[in-house]
Amino acid sequence: MVYVVGMGARGKEGLSLLALRRVEEAEVLIGGSRHLALFPEHPGEKVPVKGPMEALLDLAEARVRAGRRVAFLASGDPLFYGIGKRVLERFPDAEVHPAPTAFQEAFARLGLPWDGARLFSFHGRPLGGGLLELALSPLSVVYTDPENTPARIARALLEMGAGGFRAHVAERLGEEGERVRSFARLEEVAEEAFAEPNVLILQAQAPLPPRLGFFPDELFERRLPKRGLITKREVRLLALGLLALPPDGILWDVGAGTGSVGIEAARLAPWGWVYAVERNPESWPHIEENARRFGVHNLTLVRGEAPGALEGLPPPHGVFVGGSGGELEGILAKSLEALRPGGRLVVAALTLENLGTAYAFLQRTGLPLEGIQVQASRLVPTGPYRRLEAQNPTVLLAVRKEEGCGSTSSA
């Protein structure tokens, strides 16, 4: 038999009577040195958690086959970013006994209700789109690690203009040197060093930013080397709707320019990833600066010319082609070939030549083709009056890839 026993900040004293009995019944204890040290009188074999988890699971399986009871000792709830998932994959009938997690202990120390809180873990994970989700949440708890510290997370939020949070940091809960501190401003957290392990809690004190903001083009065009390298916001909104990215979707933004479409897509798909493909070196620093300003950490700049630069990228759920450098047909063929079944390919055509090339190519695929001409007019001042000024027309063409479809050669 296999038991998985979670241990909270109160250690052995916090265990239920049943969980304590399971530990006493076990003939093999597997856990961290801190957990094993809580049972100095236990007569069974004690195996510290070191090295690959697979080796520990193999050892546990060998002991179970020999008729011995094994107990895994874990922190908090073993099924919340813990070892419980791996143990249950190997031992589906394992008995799990959870304890309060570190964040539950932290809320208890602070006397704060945590219903409605969103839970994030940057432990061993990149900040990615999780940072934007954090900025959009009224109450959050964050598991940190030595790289993604509370200070680093606070600095990243401040860089994207999301500083309206009250913060609490709980350090070394249940251990010697336990400390729980509150900060009125993120700037204080950004300059502080905290003992490991720790948990960060954020409470929004200001209106949350929008996910899709209909952002003015000027925000992207700041210090732009050449005018016109941006998909206008009216077109962006329609293109994003046609792409219909899932929250964890992968997008290729080909001919990214200033990155406007990819950056807004990254905000709509926070658990996905955007690959902004751009051949112009003058645009590269502006894409990176815009991504930082908008809090987008789930975007990779691909420096190179498509279609060659598309080689090796993960298969996308969506492809937006905003620029082609004269290689439009090759880009469309490569994009459609790599696109996942059910994914969408959207082309923004500003010139008649690109419109003709894209329309002919997409028509040959035999896929249902959507087309929208966008010609918006904006209100502009003319002395004491206002008038509507027409923007250049853009045609959006879109197809959805069906099962078994590759490029035009398979159509």
Side-chain angles (χ1 to χ4, degrees), residues 87-103:
V87 174
L88 286 172
E89 287 172 350
R90 183 71 70 92
F91 306 100
D93 296 327
E95 194 176 288
V96 181
H97 297 268
T101 65
F103 80 82

Side-chain angles (χ1 to χ4, degrees), residues 120-353:
F120 298 87
S121 177
F122 295 133
H123 188 87
R125 294 173 168 83
L127 293 179
L131 189 69
L132 175 63
E133 290 296 288
L134 196 59
L136 297 172
S137 302
L139 178 63
S140 303
V141 58
V142 186
Y143 278 67
T144 65
D145 70 7
E147 180 179 353
N148 293 319
T149 63
R152 184 187 181 211
I153 293 167
R155 287 194 295 270
L157 288 169
L158 289 168
E159 285 178 359
M160 61 187 284
F165 290 94
R166 177 175 173 78
H168 313 274
V169 181
E171 306 164 75
R172 299 182 64 82
L173 288 170
E175 303 179 32
E176 185 178 350
E178 175 183 310
R179 183 166 60 169
V180 180
R181 289 185 281 169
S182 297
F183 303 86
R185 300 167 62 247
L186 274 186
E187 286 82 355
E188 300 173 61
V189 179
E191 302 300 326
E192 190 71 35
F194 299 94
E196 296 284 343
N198 58 64
V199 173
L200 172 66
I201 293 173
L202 296 175
Q203 291 177 286
Q205 303 294 302
L208 297 172
R211 185 182 297 278
L212 183 63
F214 199 54
F215 299 110
D217 296 336
E218 290 74 20
L219 291 182
F220 295 99
E221 289 184 325
R222 189 177 301 173
R223 295 184 284 113
L224 191 67
K226 297 179 182 179
R227 301 294 294 181
L229 297 180
I230 185 168
T231 301
K232 300 299 184 183
R233 60 180 179 170
E234 296 87 354
V235 179
R236 286 200 303 272
L237 287 176
L238 286 171
L240 291 167
L242 287 169
L243 285 166
L245 280 179
D248 59 350
I250 293 173
L251 173 72
W252 293 358
D253 180 11
V254 184
T258 58
S260 61
V261 171
I263 286 168
E264 296 220 48
R267 293 172 64 90
L268 290 172
W271 307 117
W273 210 270
V274 172
Y275 293 87
V277 183
E278 176 54 51
R279 65 174 184 157
N280 183 6
E282 291 181 304
S283 295
W284 299 341
H286 301 287
I287 294 173
E288 294 177 320
E289 169 64 15
N290 285 330
R292 184 201 63 78
R293 189 186 310 122
F294 282 89
V296 168
H297 289 253
N298 54 330
L299 180 146
T300 297
L301 172 60
V302 180
R303 299 171 173 86
E305 185 168 3
L310 304 177
E311 290 292 339
L313 298 183
H317 298 83
V319 179
F320 176 75
V321 181
S324 62
E327 299 291 335
L328 182 56
E329 188 159 342
I331 292 171
L332 296 179
K334 178 62 179 176
S335 298
L336 190 59
E337 179 185 12
L339 197 64
R340 302 179 189 221
R344 293 171 177 263
L345 169 62
V346 177
V347 185
L350 279 75
T351 68
L352 293 176
E353 289 76 13

Side-chain angles (χ1 to χ4, degrees), residues 27-46:
E27 296 155 282
V28 181
L29 298 184
I30 301 175
S33 300
R34 176 167 58 93
H35 295 141
L36 294 175
L38 297 174
F39 301 93
E41 307 302 324
H42 194 287
E45 178 185 3
K46 297 174 183 176

Side-chain angles (χ1 to χ4, degrees), residues 8-55:
R10 293 176 175 81
K12 184 177 179 181
E13 294 179 355
L15 292 178
S16 68
L17 292 176
L18 179 58
L20 183 59
R21 186 161 72 245
R22 292 304 191 222
V23 174
E24 293 171 346
E25 290 174 353
E27 296 155 282
V28 181
L29 298 184
I30 301 175
S33 300
R34 176 167 58 93
H35 295 141
L36 294 175
L38 297 174
F39 301 93
E41 307 302 324
H42 194 287
E45 178 185 3
K46 297 174 183 176
V47 182
V49 174
K50 293 179 181 178
M53 185 64 185
E54 200 66 27

Side-chain angles (χ1 to χ4, degrees), residues 67-88:
R68 304 172 71 182
R69 290 185 290 271
V70 176
F72 286 86
L73 306 181
S75 295
D77 184 344
L79 296 179
F80 183 76
Y81 295 110
I83 65 171
K85 179 180 179 180
R86 294 289 306 280
V87 174
L88 286 172

